[in-house]
Amino acid sequence: MKPNDPKDDLHRYLKAAREAVIWKLDGLSEYDIRRPLTPTGTNLLGLVKHLASVEFGYFGPTFDRPHNEALPWHEEGAEANSDMWATTDESREDVLSLYHRAWAHADATIEALPLDAMGHVAWWGDSGDVTLQRIMLHMTAETNRHAGHADIVRELIDGKVGMREGNSNMDGGDEAWYQDYWNRLEASAKEAQAKQS
């Protein structure tokens, strides 16, 4: 059995998380990829824009590897949360292209540096000294966290679920099975609440 390469393993998990996020936009209208579906405004295209921004930050200035991208939502005086939604002037293609450029930049940093390469995350303050390994772990965790948000948002839009095309990673069965399952969970929640009263 060939031993695993820790850097390759980390990179593979990051790439899989990225692809899972992108897949959530497939087949949706401009409205659906942009519309806020939580009280805090979570939306699919905004998640992609945010992830592009943080990949540029963590794999760029952190390791003194400039990315030369204009990210006006990170400039002083920018509107709060402006990295979490796309304006009408920012097309789906613009945001996806930005994310793909962030991947390319991050991947070049990952390929160029060893796992123990030191960097500094300025916005982490005194605990900002990091290794490439830590940033790869952090970015994979962040991407997976937002992939989970995208999972819920997509399910709210049209009921589509799963990790990626051809891999639903869902137990259970068809729509009828899930409706019965939902009904049982709802009944159980009400029963538990009644016991507390």
Side-chain angles (χ1 to χ4, degrees):
M1 182 174 174
K2 182 180 174 186
N4 293 340
D5 179 292
K7 187 175 175 184
D8 287 344
D9 288 345
L10 287 169
H11 203 181
R12 184 170 39 88
Y13 277 92
L14 176 58
K15 289 176 180 178
R18 291 168 174 168
E19 292 292 339
V21 170
I22 292 297
W23 180 59
K24 293 299 174 178
L25 278 66
D26 280 2
L28 293 178
S29 69
E30 284 299 312
Y31 172 71
D32 283 335
I33 64 171
R34 296 166 182 270
R35 68 175 162 140
L37 283 161
T38 69
T40 57
T42 304
N43 64 91
L44 292 172
L45 197 58
L47 291 171
V48 174
K49 182 178 173 181
H50 171 72
L51 285 168
S53 301
V54 295
E55 282 220 27
F56 275 126
Y58 283 123
F59 292 104
T62 296
F63 295 101
D64 198 25
R65 294 179 59 87
H67 52 74
N68 301 317
E69 290 284 342
L71 304 174
W73 47 88
H74 282 280
E75 293 174 8
E76 191 171 326
E79 178 185 341
N81 246 21
S82 55
D83 69 324
M84 296 295 292
W85 64 284
T87 68
T88 55
D89 294 333
E90 295 170 317
S91 71
R92 174 194 314 237
E93 292 74 23
D94 292 339
V95 175
L96 288 173
S97 178
L98 180 71
Y99 196 24
H100 284 107
R101 290 193 308 276
W103 294 3
H105 183 267
D107 291 349
T109 297
I110 291 165
E111 289 169 19
L113 302 176
L115 282 179
D116 61 356
M118 293 301 298
H120 182 79
V121 180
W123 56 95
W124 285 8
D126 292 340
S127 60
D129 291 334
V130 295
T131 61
L132 177 64
Q133 179 176 6
R134 183 170 178 201
I135 291 304
M136 289 180 75
L137 283 167
H138 179 82
M139 197 64 235
T140 301
E142 174 137 353
T143 305
N144 276 306
R145 178 173 185 256
H146 292 310
H149 296 146
D151 286 341
I152 299 298
V153 170
R154 180 66 190 250
E155 187 173 358
L156 289 169
I157 292 170
D158 66 2
K160 282 201 174 176
V161 296
M163 223 164 124
R164 61 187 151 277
E165 191 69 44
N167 180 6
S168 76
N169 73 315
M170 298 293 294
D171 294 329
D174 59 13
E175 189 176 331
W177 186 93
Y178 274 106
Q179 185 60 58
D180 180 61
Y181 174 69
W182 188 95
N183 290 339
R184 286 185 292 127
L185 294 179
E186 178 70 8
S188 177
K190 286 179 177 178
E191 184 180 336
Q193 179 63 32
K195 286 183 179 181
Q196 294 296 314
S197 299

